[in-house]
Each structure stands twice: as structure tokens, then as C-alpha cells.
């Protein structure tokens, strides 16, 4: 069985204006020969103007989601200009730029609209026990311990907005006051109890007492245990029989996971680090996942459903443990591809191939950023210990449209190399550029390593993981080009946690679905065939030693791992439906079912056809790569915008 390659005519990419990217392409092509034209894939995935507006803010790593308040200071005219976004994406990446060049199926490609509406892409988390997370219950669990009372409904309304503001400032140590006094207007024991309960419930870390002042009664709120109390909610008010963590299902629409947690923490007036989860989920989608939070009652969480936009909380339970990243078994996807052009036969072939063969387990485009400076280039500079280049790649002017303040910041940096002057041009201080400039201001231009260290650890590691992904994508394309879709002697398979080579006499015992490829790093082995040498050649071209991936800064040492070449999705189902109205939903969500919304009524003979598909994937695999295999299309935003310029005018 041979791998089918991308159509190099319709998906041919223009020359990049970024010199570094061009050099990368030349080096890469020395190792991975240019693919010949294979399938008749025709067009790319179509993307409408509305999608481009949404994904602009979602995909550009310069504008971090948590900075919504500061983003308002930016140039709003540019934010909403799809032509500016299309211009920026002319300098972005295509799939071939990051080694994504092969297909495994032989069917003819066809076009369809991916994520025309965010509700066309639904993700349900699969827990480590194999259970798929669903939002199907808003009820609050009842405690066995009768001495503990959850806050009553009145608790949430007894305090005025002014009281809440003063209490929040006290809780967060934002004023010089040692306490806040709240006058009890209706002086009854019941009323005082509710106010006491409201303060303690809504503002963890604060204690209360009652005082008489000039013949009036006041509730006095004060700090019980200093600043530590804010991070560690009061223990004495939590029943011993109740698990310390409230687990719940988070249903969210068009928001990423950290955005949602930041919003929850603000409403609850707690720090985001008391929340835990097993994996982050896409923004432009409807997603359902499990979250755990330390010592916040289900009742308080349930109350938020009345005031939250675009997400709901439910399926509450108390447990003794938090959640950990990576604990999930995978995700179940429900995807609608609208306005498809494929024949019934083409669709059947594509979906049968996805179910029986699978797709190449490439790292998807979101791994590499969308601007003219890909994240893997910064990762490579970190691994090379070339800190001047790291700084330059992050801060230098780059081709393509960006928000006005970023353009001005980069221009100032190029002109003066003065961190203070460049920072003044940047109202969004928590973006990567702002964090690095603050670091340079603090530690000086001769200590770039420490300045770079101000950027959050996960963001820093994202760069080197992007480089690993870049190498892996190129090597897996080379492996399939050289040996096709069969196991060969010298390939690697996993036996438990250990990788071993397939020997000549054992090759018939394995299929391509057993074969793994290493992510470059220490403590891994490489294949005993041409691909092992190709790994070395690629890293030598990047001035790196494949046998010494330990960095003098421990955080940047690349620990190796193994990744399956081909992923075969589970629970694959599909259906072709007709529709007339592009705005009508084509299936019901968890929230629709809870609210009793009926199934959409679809015409038998509509103007358009859509492919509804479902499948389950393990962690760290990309649904977009499965969809790419079905459609035979380049999934990069650059390709989509280039092929849809008339939609943007």
C-alpha cells in the first residue's frame, strides 16, 4: 500500500519573504525530497469571513487571551479587518513548511467548510476510565453532614455591589484598611447569619465578627491568616466527610480552557491555580471536559450558571483528589463539514479509509504558530544556546499585518534596541514580547537568559516542543516516502515503555499501526535504517548533536519520547445530510438536550450537503489531521485565506 501525496499544483506555496524560513526550506528539502503530484485534491478547506475574524485573535500567539482588559487599548480598526488578517497570513505557514506532505489513503479529495460555525466542532473529553464527559445534570449533591450548611440563595444577593467591591479589595490586599465594616440594616440574628455566611463563602480568607458601634450593629470582615489564606481556602469550614475537591463538567462555547478558568476565578474571587484539569480544549468549538477545584462548594459553582456567558457547569461531585494534565484517555469529536463537493462514493471511500487505515499522526498547524516567525525557529535557537537570535526572532519586525501597537513596538526595538522605549509602545504587557522586554529591562541586554525566563515556563517550553514536532513531522514523511505503509526491519515498536527494533525474522508479526518514531531528545533510540541517518543529518544541518540533547539549562534539555506513525480513530461514524440554511445547527448539543431543544428538522432535498462525522482519538493527536486525510486538503490558515480572498472583500 503506497502513501498518496498532496497535490503540488493547487496547493503550491509562494516563496516566503522570511529569509530564515527560506533557509529552512532549502535545508529540509536536502533531506526530504520534494513530493510528486499525487491526488486530485482540487481546492482547500473553505473558510468564511466570520471564521477568520474569530480565529484571528485565537491563533496569534502575540495576544494572550488573559489580557482581554488590556487588549481594549489596541487598534480596534485592525482587529476587525479580515483583509489585514489575510495579508498577515500571506506570510504564515503551509503544511509543507512543517513537514506535512503525505496522505495514506487513495481516494480522490473533495472540499468542505471546516468550522463555518464554532458549533460545528464539538469535543467531549474521555477520562482515564474510558467514560465520555457529558453535561447532563445541573443538580447539586447533598451532604451527609447535617452540621454544615451550604450558602442559601440569599447569600449571593445580600451584599451590595459596593460591599463586594470593598471586600474584594480587602481580600486581595489592594487597600490599606485592616477590615471592612458592613452595617446591618435589618438587625435580626437570621440577617446577621446570612451576611456572615456571604462574606466567608464569597471571599475565601476573610473572617467576620459582629460589633456594636454607636448603637448600630456591624459585621466586621478581616483577614484571618494573612496572604496565605487566599491561596488556601479555610479548612475549618469544610466538612471532614466531604472530599476536598469539587469535580464538575465544564461545557464551553468559543472559549479556550484557560480563558474559562480565569473567568471562573474572577467570579469566585479565588486564584486560578486552585483549578485543575486533564487537558486544554480548543477555543473555536463546543467542548465538554472535567474540572476540579479546591474547596469551592457545588452550590457556589452552580450559582454561576445564572451569570456566565458561553459556558455552563454541572455534574458536580466531591472527591479527594485533583485532576492532572495528561490523565485523560482521549477525546471524542463530532464534526460537521459543510457544503461538501464529494460524491457519495468518494465520501464512503474516504470514511472507510479513515476507519480502517487511519491517518498520519502529524502535529497539527496550531503547534507552529501562524506568523512569519514560526515557533520552531525560536525553539531551535534556544537549543543552539543562541540567545541573541531568540531575542531577535521574538522582537524583530516581521512581514504581514499585525496589531498597530505590536508593529510600533517592533519598529522601536529595531531602531533603538531600548527595552524601555519599545515597552512604552506596547499596551498589552503580558504578551510574549512585553514579558521579554520587561525581562531585558530588569536584567539587562547581557543577560538574555534571565530576561527570557520571565516568560511563563509553559510558553518557553512550547518553543522547544515545537522544534521537536517540526523534526518529527519531517521524519515521518521521509519514513513513509522510503518504506510505505508497512513495517520493515529496523523500525521501532514499543514493548511496554521500551522501544525495540523489529528484526528481519519478526517483521510479519507487525503492521504499520505498531510502528513508532522517536521525538529527538536524550535517552531515545533511532531506527536502524535510512531514517536514523536522516534524523542525524537534519539536526547537524541545525547545528545540533542528536547524541547530546542535554542543555546547560535543565528546563531546555529535550527529553525524548515515541509517537505512533499512524493513528486509527475509534468509534468512527458518519452521515451525509442536506440543508438549506447555513446558520441552522445540524445536531443537538448537551446543553440543547438539557434545555429540551428538539432535533433540527432538515430538508430531504436541501441546496447544500454536509458530512457529519464522529470519531475518538487518543491524547496529543490532532482532529484536523484526521479531517485533512478525509478531504485531502492543506489545513493551514494561510492556504484557506489565499483561496478565499474574494470572500474577504
Amino acid at each position: 500500500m503506497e502513501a498518496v501525496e498532496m497535490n503540488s499544483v493547487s496547493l503550491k506555496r509562494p516563496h516566503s519573504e522570511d529569509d530564515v524560513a527560506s533557509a529552512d526550506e532549502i535545508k529540509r528539502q536536502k533531506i526530504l525530497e520534494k513530493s510528486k503530484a499525487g491526488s486530485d485534491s482540487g481546492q482547500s478547506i473553505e473558510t468564511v469571513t466570520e471564521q477568520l475574524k474569530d480565529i484571528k485573535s485565537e491563533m496569534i500567539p502575540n495576544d494572550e487571551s488573559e489580557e482581554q482588559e488590556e487588549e481594549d487599548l489596541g487598534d480596534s480598526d485592525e482587529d476587525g479587518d479580515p483583509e489585514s488578517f489575510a495579508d498577515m497570513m500571506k506570510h504564515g505557514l503551509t503544511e509543507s513548511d512543517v513537514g506535512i506532505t503525505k496522505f495514506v489513503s487513495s481516494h480522490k479529495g473533495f472540499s468542505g467548510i471546516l468550522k463555518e460555525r464554532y458549533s460545528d466542532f464539538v469535543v467531549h473529553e474521555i477520562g482515564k476510565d474510558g467514560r465520555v464527559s457529558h453535561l447532563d445534570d445541573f443538580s447539586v449533591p447533598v451532604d451527609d453532614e447535617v452540621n454544615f450548611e451550604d450558602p442559601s440563595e440569599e447569600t449571593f444577593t445580600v451584599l451590595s455591589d459596593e460591599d463586594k467591591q470593598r471586600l474584594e479589595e480587602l481580600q486581595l490586599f489592594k487597600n490599606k484598611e485592616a477590615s471592612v465594616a458592613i452595617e446591618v440594616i435589618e438587625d435580626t440574628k437570621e440577617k446577621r447569619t446570612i451576611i456572615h455566611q456571604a462574606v466567608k463563602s464569597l471571599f475565601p480568607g476573610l473572617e467576620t465578627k459582629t460589633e456594636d458601634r454607636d448603637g448600630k450593629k456591624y459585621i466586621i470582615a478581616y483577614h484571618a491568616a494573612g496572604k496565605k489564606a487566599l491561596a488556601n481556602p479555610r479548612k475549618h469550614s469544610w466538612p471532614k466527610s466531604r472530599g476536598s475537591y469539587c469535580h464538575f463538567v465544564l461545557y464551553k462555547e468559543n472559549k479556550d480552557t484557560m480563558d474559562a478558568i480565569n473567568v471562573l476565578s474572577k467570579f469566585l474571587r479565588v486564584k486560578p491555580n486552585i483549578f485543575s484539569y486533564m487537558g486544554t480544549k480548543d477555543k473555536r468549538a463546543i467542548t465538554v471536559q472535567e474540572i476540579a477545584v479546591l474547596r469551592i462548594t457545588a452550590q457556589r459553582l452552580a450559582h454561576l450558571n445564572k451569570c456566565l456567558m458561553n459556558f455552563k457547569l454541572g455534574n458536580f461531585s466531591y472527591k479527594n483528589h485533583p485532576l492532572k494534565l495528561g490523565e485523560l484517555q482521549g477525546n471524542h469529536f463530532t464534526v460537521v463539514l459543510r457544503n461538501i463537493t464529494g460524491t457519495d462514493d468518494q465520501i464512503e471511500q474516504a470514511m472507510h479509509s479513515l476507519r480502517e487505515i487511519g491517518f498520519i499522526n502529524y502535529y497539527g498547524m496550531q503547534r507552529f504558530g501562524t506568523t512569519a516567525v514560526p515557533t520552531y525557529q525560536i525553539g531551535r535557537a534556544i537549543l543552539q544556546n543562541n540567545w541573541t537570535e531568540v531575542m531577535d526572532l521574538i522582537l524583530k519586525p516581521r512581514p504581514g499585518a499585525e496589531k498597530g501597537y505590536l508593529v510600533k513596538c517592533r519598529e522601536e526595538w529595531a531602531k533603538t534596541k531600548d527595552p524601555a522605549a519599545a515597552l512604552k509602545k506596547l499596551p498589552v504587557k503580558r504578551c510574549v514580547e512585553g514579558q521579554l522586554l520587561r525581562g531585558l529591562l530588569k536584567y539587562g541586554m547581557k543577560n538574555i537568559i534571565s530576561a527570557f525566563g520571565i516568560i511563563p515556563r509553559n510558553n518557553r517550553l512550547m518553543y522547544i516542543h515545537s522544534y521537536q514536532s517540526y523534526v518529527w513531522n519531517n521524519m515521518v514523511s521521509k519514513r513513509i516516502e522510503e518504506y510505505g505503509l508497512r513495517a520493515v526491519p529496523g523500525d521501532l515498536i514499543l514493548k511496554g515503555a521500551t522501544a525495540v527494533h523489529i528484526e528481519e525474522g519478526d517483521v510479519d508479526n507487525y503492521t504499520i499501526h505498531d510502528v513508532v518514531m522517536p521525538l529527538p531528545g536524550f535517552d531515545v533510540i533511532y531506527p536502524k535504517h535510512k531514517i536514523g541517518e536522516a534524523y542525524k543529518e537534519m539536526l547537524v544541518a541545525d547545528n545540533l548533536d542528536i547524541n547530546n540533547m542535554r542543555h546547560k539549562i535543565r528546563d531546555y534539555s529535550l527529553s525524548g519520547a515515541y509517537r505512533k506513525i499512524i493513528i486509527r480513530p475509534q468509534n468512527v461514524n458518519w452521515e451525509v445530510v442536506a440543508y438549506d440554511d447555513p446558520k441552522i445547527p445540524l445536531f443537538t448539543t448537551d446543553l440543547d438536550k438539557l434545555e429540551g431543544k428538539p432535533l433540527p428538522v432538515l430538508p430531504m432535498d436541501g441546496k447544500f450537503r454536509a458530512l457529519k462525522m464522529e470519531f475518538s482519538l487518543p491524547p496529543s493527536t490532532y482532529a484536523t489531521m484526521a479531517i485533512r486525510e478525509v478531504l485531502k486538503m492543506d489545513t493551514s490558515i494561510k492556504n484557506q485565506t489565499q483561496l478565499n480572498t474574494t470572500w474577504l472583500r
Side-chain angles (χ1 to χ4, degrees):
M1 193 185 305
E2 293 301 318
V4 182
E5 302 174 0
M6 295 180 65
N7 185 320
S8 60
V9 179
S10 63
L11 301 181
K12 184 177 180 181
R13 65 181 182 84
H15 293 294
S16 171
E17 293 185 26
D18 183 67
D19 294 334
V20 184
S22 299
D24 286 336
E25 180 66 13
I26 292 168
K27 283 192 289 186
R28 190 172 65 81
Q29 292 299 343
K30 287 180 181 178
I31 300 163
L32 180 61
E33 291 182 5
K34 208 152 177 84
S35 301
K36 296 179 181 179
S39 65
D40 299 322
S41 34
Q43 307 162 33
S44 175
I45 299 172
E46 299 172 291
T47 309
V48 296
T49 305
E50 198 60 38
Q51 176 182 348
L52 294 176
K53 289 179 181 177
D54 281 350
I55 60 179
K56 176 181 178 183
S57 60
E58 167 191 350
M59 296 297 291
I60 304 171
N62 299 319
D63 302 316
E64 296 194 342
S65 56
E66 65 191 58
E67 282 303 301
Q68 292 172 354
E69 294 153 21
E70 290 185 302
E71 280 178 11
D72 292 339
L73 301 173
D75 299 328
S76 58
D77 290 341
E78 291 180 26
D79 290 353
D81 184 356
E83 288 191 49
S84 294
F85 183 51
D87 180 45
M88 180 180 70
M89 292 319 303
K90 289 175 185 175
H91 307 279
L93 297 169
T94 63
E95 289 183 346
S96 62
D97 290 324
V98 293
I100 303 172
T101 59
K102 303 291 182 181
F103 292 107
V104 298
S105 53
S106 57
H107 70 274
K108 184 178 179 181
F110 53 92
S111 67
I113 304 176
L114 172 63
K115 293 190 181 182
E116 180 174 31
R117 310 173 79 241
Y118 67 77
S119 55
D120 286 345
F121 198 90
V122 179
V123 186
H124 287 88
E125 191 171 70
I126 306 172
K128 59 183 178 181
D129 58 358
R131 183 179 55 83
V132 179
S133 292
H134 282 281
L135 181 77
D136 53 21
D137 185 5
F138 283 141
S139 65
V140 174
V142 178
D143 276 310
D144 293 332
E145 189 161 330
V146 295
N147 292 330
F148 183 89
E149 294 182 10
D150 274 328
S152 66
E153 190 63 30
E154 193 177 356
T155 299
F156 299 101
T157 57
V158 70
L159 298 172
S160 69
D161 289 341
E162 183 184 352
D163 289 337
K164 290 177 182 177
Q165 179 69 30
R166 292 165 60 215
L167 288 165
E168 182 174 2
E169 289 174 355
L170 176 67
Q171 181 203 36
L172 299 177
F173 297 93
K174 288 185 175 180
N175 57 22
K176 297 179 181 179
E177 302 297 325
S179 63
V180 166
I182 301 168
E183 184 180 355
V184 183
I185 305 298
E186 303 171 29
D187 184 17
T188 64
K189 184 178 180 181
E190 291 76 13
K191 192 70 174 181
R192 293 198 303 272
T193 300
I194 292 170
I195 296 174
H196 282 294
Q197 196 175 48
V199 174
K200 293 177 182 180
S201 298
L202 300 180
F203 300 91
L206 296 185
E207 282 294 345
T208 57
K209 60 185 178 182
T210 304
E211 283 187 4
D212 285 310
R213 294 182 180 179
D214 301 325
K216 296 179 181 178
K217 276 202 165 47
Y218 289 86
I219 305 295
I220 309 299
Y222 60 97
H223 272 286
K227 293 188 177 182
K228 290 183 179 179
L230 185 56
N232 301 290
R234 296 167 300 107
K235 294 182 179 180
H236 66 269
S237 65
W238 198 264
K240 293 180 181 179
S241 62
R242 172 192 279 178
S244 293
Y245 294 88
C246 184
H247 287 230
F248 61 94
V249 167
L250 170 66
Y251 168 102
K252 62 181 181 64
E253 299 183 356
N254 209 28
K255 274 200 177 290
D256 65 36
T257 302
M258 276 313 302
D259 255 349
I261 285 176
N262 284 334
V263 171
L264 291 177
S265 64
K266 286 177 183 177
F267 271 90
L268 294 168
R269 297 178 175 86
V270 294
K271 289 189 175 181
N273 62 5
I274 70 170
F275 291 87
S276 57
Y277 48 89
M278 294 183 286
T280 57
K281 300 289 180 279
D282 293 346
K283 176 187 176 184
R284 190 172 170 78
I286 292 175
T287 69
V288 184
Q289 68 183 116
E290 189 173 349
I291 305 286
V293 60
L294 176 64
R295 292 197 172 121
I296 298 291
T297 66
Q299 187 164 358
R300 282 187 68 191
L301 293 167
H303 177 76
L304 297 181
N305 284 328
K306 297 179 180 179
C307 46
L308 292 175
M309 294 289 290
N310 296 330
F311 41 98
K312 296 289 183 183
L313 318 178
N315 296 79
F316 303 102
S317 62
Y318 293 108
K319 299 180 182 178
N320 287 317
H321 59 84
L323 295 170
K324 294 181 181 177
L325 279 171
E327 280 186 328
L328 70 167
Q329 197 177 102
N331 295 287
H332 185 74
F333 297 87
T334 305
V335 178
V336 170
L337 301 175
R338 291 181 183 256
N339 201 18
I340 54 171
T341 62
T343 65
D344 289 344
D345 187 51
Q346 287 172 341
I347 294 166
E348 285 295 306
Q349 286 184 43
M351 294 307 298
H352 275 288
S353 176
L354 183 67
R355 184 166 62 189
E356 301 304 321
I357 302 173
F359 63 96
I360 303 171
N361 193 21
Y362 287 123
Y363 287 96
M365 295 302 297
Q366 56 265 55
R367 191 83 168 185
F368 306 102
T370 57
T371 68
V373 179
T375 51
Y376 73 81
Q377 292 180 3
I378 299 169
R380 179 177 55 206
I382 293 170
L383 294 171
Q384 292 169 339
N385 212 30
N386 188 344
W387 293 99
T388 301
E389 184 172 356
V390 171
M391 177 180 67
D392 192 43
L393 286 170
I394 293 174
L395 295 177
K396 72 177 182 179
R398 54 187 65 177
E402 285 193 295
K403 288 190 174 182
Y405 54 76
L406 268 174
V407 173
K408 292 169 186 172
C409 170
R410 296 188 193 285
E411 288 174 349
E412 183 66 33
W413 174 256
K415 184 171 63 176
T416 66
K417 290 293 190 289
D418 181 347
L423 201 58
K424 284 180 181 177
K425 305 285 185 181
L426 198 61
V428 181
K429 297 294 192 290
R430 289 191 196 173
C431 62
V432 168
E433 291 84 356
Q435 289 163 332
L436 178 55
L437 287 168
R438 281 208 311 271
L440 292 169
L441 201 57
K442 180 176 181 179
Y443 294 105
M445 297 286 286
K446 293 184 178 180
N447 196 351
I448 301 172
I449 296 175
S450 296
F452 182 73
I454 279 189
I455 298 170
R457 183 174 184 271
N458 285 349
N459 290 25
R460 287 182 279 124
L461 298 187
M462 171 195 72
Y463 293 123
I464 60 173
H465 293 157
S466 177
Y467 178 76
Q468 272 187 315
S469 305
Y470 170 73
V471 173
W472 195 91
N473 278 0
N474 280 281
M475 291 299 99
V476 80
S477 291
K478 179 70 173 172
R479 160 63 182 77
I480 290 172
E481 179 183 294
E482 289 287 344
Y483 301 109
L485 298 177
R486 57 192 176 89
V488 298
D491 272 336
L492 291 167
I493 58 167
L494 285 179
K495 290 189 175 180
T498 306
V500 297
H501 288 102
I502 299 177
E503 301 297 335
E504 185 78 43
D506 291 334
V507 71
D508 291 337
N509 297 328
Y510 302 102
T511 71
I512 192 67
H513 297 100
D514 300 311
V515 178
V516 297
M517 294 273 286
L519 287 160
F522 57 84
D523 296 335
V524 296
I525 58 175
Y526 294 88
K528 287 182 179 176
H529 46 50
K530 291 181 181 179
I531 309 307
E533 290 304 312
Y535 267 103
K536 293 176 185 176
E537 290 174 24
M538 187 168 188
L539 267 70
V540 165
D542 285 339
N543 297 315
L544 295 170
D545 181 358
I546 201 167
N547 297 312
N548 183 18
M549 301 302 290
R550 295 184 187 273
H551 198 281
K552 67 177 186 179
I553 300 172
R554 186 175 179 181
D555 259 3
Y556 308 137
S557 292
L558 273 187
S559 56
Y562 298 95
R563 182 176 176 87
K564 284 200 168 187
I565 289 181
I566 303 292
I567 290 293
R568 188 159 41 190
Q570 301 298 306
N571 309 310
V572 178
N573 291 291
W574 68 92
E575 177 188 9
V576 176
V577 297
Y579 66 101
D580 287 318
D581 184 357
K583 295 180 180 178
I584 192 171
L586 299 182
F587 55 84
T588 53
T589 65
D590 285 1
L591 187 58
D592 291 336
K593 293 170 186 174
L594 268 172
E595 293 177 346
K597 291 184 180 177
L599 284 166
V601 178
L602 301 175
M604 294 294 292
D605 236 348
K607 289 186 293 185
F608 309 108
R609 294 159 69 238
L611 172 59
K612 293 169 59 178
M613 52 197 296
E614 288 190 61
F615 52 88
S616 299
L617 296 177
S620 192
T621 54
Y622 290 76
T624 50
M625 294 295 99
I627 295 164
R628 167 188 182 270
E629 186 69 45
V630 170
L631 295 176
K632 295 287 187 69
M633 305 300 170
D634 183 328
T635 60
S636 67
I637 302 175
K638 174 177 181 175
N639 190 63
Q640 295 171 39
T641 54
Q642 285 179 333
L643 294 178
N644 288 282
T645 51
T646 55
W647 296 44
L648 297 171
R649 298 188 186 280

